Amino acid sequence: MIEKILIANRGEIASRIIRTCKRLNIRTVSVYSEADVNSPHVDMADESYLIGPPRVNESYLNVEKIITVAKEVKADAIHPGYGFLSESGTFAEQCEQAGILFIGPNSKVIRQMGSKIAARTAMEQAGVPIVPGTKEAVNSIEEAKNIAREIGYPIMLKASAGGGGIGMQVVHSENELQTAFEHNSKRALTFFGDGSMFIERKIENARHIEIQILADHFGNAVHLFERECSIQRRNQKVIEEAPSPFISEHTRNLMGETAVKAVKAIEYTNAGTIEFLVDEEENFYFLEMNTRIQVEHPVTEEITGLDIVEQQIQVANGETLSIYQQDLSMNGHALEARIYAEDPNTFFPSPGHITNFEYPEGPYIRNEVAVKNSYDVTPFYDPMIGKLIVYGRTREEAIKRLKEALMNYRIDGIKTNLPMLKVIADHEQFKRGNTATNFVDKYYLTEVENTK
Amino acid sequence: MEIKATMAGSVWKIAVAQGESVGEGQDVVILESMKMEIPIPADSPGTVKELKVAEGDFVNEGDVIAVIE
């Protein structure tokens, strides 16, 4: 029985997990770095422990330290949130060995899905469509050139161990491939300790659509429909929504069934997300699987009425899923806008002191925030400082509410992407649902350029 | 001429050596801030007289990174 959870994370997701725990009468333990002494998640938990200096490898990535704290406070389980240790097979294994429940799948499946190449192979075997490309790591530039010639340009070059858009690049020609391969392979080696690359065909005008799944330890699995996350900058999501404004009911069902079939095939447990690229003809291709809770999970919660963190805790607790696929339905439309501490035009980070912080409140508005009034946003962590989630009966109504809510958001002292979000929420192409992954380049940045 | 950090972050890579000549716009160091690489280029051509930081150092906005002559 889980009675006490240590949250091995920071920011809005730590606060969000604590909220569900409180509702379920589960005691909470926060950990924090020296840079986060004043962070909201530290005050919210029943107990909080300093785990080290600001740098992530000395604090939020410090496996030994976090497990030591968990043992000392007698936590039954650790919730890893997203990012940091959430997709570390080693961390999950260390938890298992320490007799602490890791709220997520087992270390074996985390490792399998963490390697892009192993994941592709497993998905292909499970009958999931994959983007045409390499099955093995490409180690030399000569090999890369041969494969690219076969697949045809443009191609997508990706680091096998990559994430967050790092080590990933579209390549249009053989000339470009030479430098791109060397540069990205080197970066991947520096960031992830693994420089192996792989190559895929570039799907033109692709949308990013993902399926949320839940699976228990007894072979039961359901999907919670899709989220569309096509509005991205630097290969990272900015606005997400559920349901997708694009796919048909037929494609939705097919994608959901495919995702459920896949998680059963790999014997997946807990919450997870299978990301797909969807082309203009609604063909979908496996992109990657995220073996953790996602940043954008609230939009799914808003349209299904479920609390995904609660579901995660129940599964980790060894309970059977309490929901059947036929009981699940989508209601209305939800949008999430990520608030980033960054320049809205160059997307360069903007750490600094927040002198004033006000967020919109009201019905149909949900805020997940990582900061507060008079707070220092440090350069040590991700630039996301909050999420604004709105609900509407229709997509049109949700967009209208998003626009209004954004008008009432106020952050002074640092640069944020609020101006960008306002432009997108008011953009004709966004309203029409023309939301391919090139949206920001095609519609937003051109608009910025024109108004200079 | 002093090359200053445009934002707080840690020094991820030093791209030049002391005594090396650099061109205008050439990257002198690459900072890492909020999980993003921020190249800091030289404003004008010259020779690297002094490097004020080492890889892994933390810098604040406005800190001098290098002196170019």
Side-chain angles (χ1 to χ4, degrees), chain A residues 158-424:
Chain A
K158 291 183 184 178
S160 179
I166 292 170
M168 193 165 133
Q169 192 180 336
V170 184
V171 179
H172 299 90
S173 67
E174 194 161 307
N175 268 343
E176 214 180 305
L177 182 60
Q178 179 87 36
T179 29
F181 188 90
E182 283 167 10
H183 175 72
N184 286 290
S185 180
K186 214 162 116 190
R187 285 189 78 194
L189 190 66
T190 314
F191 275 91
F192 312 112
D194 176 4
S196 63
M197 304 297 290
F198 80 130
I199 294 173
E200 279 181 354
R201 184 198 290 160
K202 166 91 169 81
I203 308 285
E204 300 283 359
N205 292 317
R207 285 165 186 261
H208 175 117
I209 300 178
E210 58 190 31
I211 305 287
Q212 172 75 54
I213 62 92
L214 291 173
D216 65 18
H217 294 270
F218 308 97
N220 305 304
V222 295
H223 70 83
L224 307 182
F225 313 103
E226 82 280 8
R227 291 184 287 261
E228 178 161 343
C229 320
S230 297
I231 311 279
Q232 308 185 352
R233 60 102 184 86
R234 298 201 282 115
N235 290 316
Q236 282 181 332
K237 299 161 186 169
V238 179
I239 293 179
E240 300 103 335
E241 60 186 304
S244 160
F246 176 66
I247 58 171
S248 66
E249 193 59 29
H250 172 76
T251 305
R252 170 171 300 122
N253 290 334
L254 197 59
M255 288 178 78
E257 284 161 19
T258 305
V260 167
K261 198 170 68 182
V263 300
K264 284 184 175 171
I266 62 170
E267 295 177 354
Y268 190 85
T269 52
N270 217 294
T273 297
I274 303 192
E275 298 187 334
F276 295 98
L277 282 180
V278 180
D279 71 14
E280 289 168 311
E281 280 83 49
E282 293 191 44
N283 295 305
F284 57 91
Y285 305 95
F286 172 72
L287 192 60
E288 63 179 40
M289 177 161 194
N290 292 314
T291 56
R292 52 164 167 85
I293 194 150
Q294 304 262 111
V295 174
E296 60 273 21
H297 74 277
V299 293
T300 300
E301 295 183 325
E302 294 308 313
I303 64 154
T304 59
L306 287 175
D307 178 333
I308 295 172
V309 172
E310 179 180 8
Q311 295 292 325
Q312 287 191 294
I313 296 169
Q314 286 174 357
V315 168
N317 208 16
E319 294 169 36
T320 41
L321 279 184
S322 53
I323 31 173
Y324 296 100
Q325 193 67 55
Q326 61 266 30
D327 302 334
L328 287 161
S329 63
M330 299 187 301
N331 242 307
H333 202 98
L335 292 164
E336 176 183 276
R338 298 191 188 189
I339 319 285
Y340 287 116
E342 68 183 19
D343 184 291
N345 301 334
T346 63
F347 312 137
F348 271 3
S350 175
H353 184 71
I354 295 180
T355 50
N356 181 33
F357 182 76
E358 291 166 43
Y359 55 73
E361 282 179 289
Y364 315 111
I365 294 174
R366 168 172 168 185
N367 287 286
E368 300 290 352
V369 295
V371 298
K372 55 191 177 189
N373 243 329
S374 189
Y375 179 85
D376 284 318
V377 178
T378 69
F380 301 103
Y381 315 111
D382 189 274
M384 197 184 77
I385 53 172
K387 307 187 301 203
L388 169 66
I389 301 110
V390 295
Y391 177 83
R393 282 164 296 182
T394 60
R395 186 170 187 268
E396 204 186 343
E397 189 176 59
I399 292 175
K400 198 173 143 267
R401 286 175 177 160
L402 177 65
K403 266 173 62 182
E404 283 169 12
L406 285 168
M407 294 297 172
N408 295 319
Y409 223 116
R410 208 182 154 90
I411 303 169
D412 298 323
I414 56 166
K415 285 191 250 181
T416 71
N417 68 335
L418 282 170
M420 175 194 192
L421 295 171
K422 285 176 193 166
V423 169
I424 296 174

